[in-house]
């Protein structure tokens, strides 16, 4: 078979490990020809490709990013792009496509079934907000990076008796904030799923500090929202999937905390550090298992499906189940565990 591959959306540690696994099993076991489309759906629209084979994939396993490049191009938002994408796949004689991405990339993959395109999805996002899989690769790496950062922030915050607001990624879901906050012993964790009350946040910090000199780390997901009418946040540019560019809530928070409590407050925005660099062993293994399962799914004709992790097993789920609704943080984990350590 001739099998195409693309990586779409934000990059994520483990993408290259998926590509390597697909290519290894595709070439060696199934005798497939593999073709990479560059920069996500843009490569399919414009017909820009790179050949993929086992030799080209050597050394990829620990490498962050994606050798195919990525973009947030949405063919359904560009005039004539869907037709162009379908024409490219025909002209390059692609029998099936493996799309590695999050909700947006896989949403397009699911839509394209109507055009007769055979697609298998692989779930990717550091945000871990994709439904139908217990975890996405990249999440473990991001949590580890954020936890390491919080550990470091603790020692400097303690030395200066400061509050440090650490902003992590998480547009719609606070998985990274919750996990890294629990692992890093945060005094407060603010996530998009739970609108926060700045008065409560400040009361918790006062309670913590009243017994003497003790610093606090507040972990905030970039998409966290204050309760209506309590704080105003700026909004930024919007991409082709309608997402606002986030980043910066921590500045507003730190200023407000300092103003209300008098505690000296500082900000650290982890940003793309969380998406870069080498994947953890967990993510390398998960990405490898997903890659192998994806090429198997192609050969079983299991199209319009996504490979997923459920109860430690790799399974196949309909793409519709994966993209229908975002997977948000379990309230039991947030209220039952994380919140026990606030203040
Ligand atoms: O991939 C999802 C994500 O990590 C979000 O948490 C974040 O808002 C976004 O990517 C940032 O994307 P970009 O690099 O395109 O600004």
């Amino acid at each position: 078979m001739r099998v195409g591959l693309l990586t779409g959306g934000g990059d994520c540690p483990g993408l290259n490990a998926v590509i390597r696994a697909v290519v290894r099993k595709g070439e060696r076991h199934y005798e497939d020809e593999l073709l990479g489309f560059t920069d996500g759906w843009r490569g399919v629209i414009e017909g820009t490709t790179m050949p993929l084979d086992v030799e080209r994939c050597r050394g990829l396993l620990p490498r962050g990013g994606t050798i195919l490049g990525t973009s947030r191009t949405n063919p359904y938002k560009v005039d004539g792009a869907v037709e162009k994408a379908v024409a490219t796949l025909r002209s390059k004689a692609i029998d099936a496509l493996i799309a590695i991405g999050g909700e947006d990339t896989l949403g397009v993959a699911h839509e394209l079934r109507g055009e007769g395109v055979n697609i298998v999805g692989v779930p990717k996002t550091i945000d871990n907000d994709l439904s139908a899989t217990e975890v996405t690769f990249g999440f473990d790496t991001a949590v580890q990076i954020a936890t390491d950062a919080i550990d470091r922030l603790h020692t400097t915050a303690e030395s200066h008796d400061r509050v440090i607001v650490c902003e992590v990624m998480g547009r719609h879901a606070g998985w990274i904030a919750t996990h890294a906050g629990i692992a890093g012993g945060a005094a407060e964790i603010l996530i998009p799923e739970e609108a926060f009350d700045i008065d409560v946040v400040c009361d918790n910090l006062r309670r913590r500090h009243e017994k003497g000199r003790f610093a606090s780390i507040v972990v905030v997901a970039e998409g966290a929202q204050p309760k209506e009418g309590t704080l105003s946040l700026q909004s930024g540019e919007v991409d082709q999937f309608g997402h606002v560019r986030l980043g910066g809530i921590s500045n507003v928070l730190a200023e407000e905390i300092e103003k209300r409590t008098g505690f000296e407050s500082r900000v650290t925005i982890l940003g793309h550090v969380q998406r870069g660099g080498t994947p953890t062993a967990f993510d390398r293994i998960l990405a490898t298992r997903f890659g192998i399962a994806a090429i198997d799914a192609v050969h079983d004709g299991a199209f319009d499906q996504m490979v997923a992790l459920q109860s430690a097993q790799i399974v196949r789920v309909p793409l519709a189940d994966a993209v229908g609704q975002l997977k948000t943080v379990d309230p039991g984990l947030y209220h039952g565990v994380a919140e026990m350590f606030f203040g």
Side-chain angles (χ1 to χ4, degrees):
M1 288 177 90
R2 265 173 76 79
V3 181
L5 261 98
L6 68 87
T7 53
D11 73 331
C12 177
L15 284 168
N16 283 325
V18 178
I19 296 168
R20 168 182 174 269
V22 169
V23 170
R24 169 66 66 141
K25 188 154 188 187
E27 185 182 305
R28 293 281 167 92
H29 183 81
Y30 291 115
E31 298 181 3
D32 289 332
E33 270 180 73
L34 287 309
L35 190 66
F37 288 92
T38 59
D39 302 329
W41 291 114
R42 192 193 300 149
V44 184
I45 297 165
E46 294 175 1
T48 48
T49 59
M50 66 183 270
L52 288 171
D53 56 33
V54 169
E55 290 314 311
R56 284 186 176 89
C57 290
R58 293 213 187 276
L60 277 193
L61 181 61
R63 241 171 88 188
T66 161
I67 55 163
L68 292 176
T70 186
S71 74
R72 295 193 186 275
T73 304
N74 181 351
Y76 286 94
K77 290 285 173 213
V78 183
D79 270 353
V82 172
E83 295 71 20
K84 278 191 188 164
V86 173
T88 300
L89 295 172
R90 279 210 192 102
S91 72
K92 304 224 177 265
I94 296 296
D95 299 304
L97 191 61
I98 294 178
I100 312 167
E103 194 219 358
D104 297 332
T105 304
L106 298 182
V108 171
H110 179 53
E111 286 291 304
L112 282 171
R113 79 197 179 287
E115 312 297 326
V117 182
N118 295 328
I119 306 185
V120 169
V122 176
K124 160 275 12 166
T125 164
I126 64 162
D127 292 351
N128 195 36
D129 58 2
L130 207 56
S131 289
T133 184
E134 280 162 11
V135 70
T136 45
F137 67 85
F139 173 62
D140 186 65
T141 306
V143 168
Q144 192 57 56
I145 292 168
T147 304
D148 289 346
I150 295 167
D151 286 348
R152 288 171 191 280
L153 293 175
H154 268 297
T155 61
T156 172
E158 282 158 17
S159 305
H160 291 266
D161 198 15
R162 281 174 176 157
V163 172
I164 297 189
V165 181
C166 176
E167 181 174 322
V168 298
M169 281 188 171
R171 191 192 287 277
H172 306 290
W175 286 104
I176 298 175
T178 304
H179 279 232
I182 293 172
E188 196 71 49
I189 302 170
L190 307 177
I191 60 174
E193 293 88 334
E194 304 279 340
F196 67 87
D197 183 336
I198 187 71
D199 286 331
V200 174
V201 172
C202 291
D203 282 349
N204 283 344
L205 295 176
R206 279 191 207 98
R207 204 172 60 234
R208 180 177 163 85
H209 289 240
E210 76 190 2
K211 298 256 158 54
R213 193 184 154 87
F214 216 81
S216 297
I217 306 298
V218 174
V219 176
V220 58
E222 61 184 352
Q225 289 296 324
K227 284 204 167 133
E228 221 182 311
T230 53
L231 273 182
S232 65
L233 305 173
Q234 290 171 336
S235 60
E237 266 172 59
V238 174
D239 69 17
Q240 283 188 358
F241 287 93
H243 303 309
V244 174
R245 185 178 296 169
L246 297 171
I249 184 176
S250 50
N251 290 310
V252 178
L253 259 175
E255 208 181 297
E256 205 60 31
I257 289 169
E258 186 166 305
K259 199 164 79 190
R260 289 170 183 241
T261 63
F263 301 145
E264 193 183 9
S265 303
R266 291 285 196 274
V267 170
T268 296
I269 302 179
L270 294 184
H272 293 85
V273 168
Q274 295 158 94
R275 289 213 315 235
T278 57
T280 58
F282 178 87
D283 280 338
R284 293 180 205 191
I285 295 164
L286 182 60
T288 300
R289 292 175 76 195
F290 278 163
I292 298 285
I295 193 73
D296 286 343
V298 163
H299 283 270
D300 288 345
F303 301 121
D304 197 28
Q305 298 195 37
M306 179 186 88
V307 296
L309 187 76
Q310 289 180 4
S311 306
Q313 301 301 314
I314 307 290
V315 297
R316 294 172 190 164
V317 295
L319 265 178
D321 292 356
V323 300
Q325 209 185 355
L326 284 175
K327 182 183 69 189
T328 50
V329 170
D330 170 14
L333 179 68
Y334 186 78
H335 295 294
V337 180
E339 211 173 64
M340 293 299 124
F341 299 90
F342 290 1

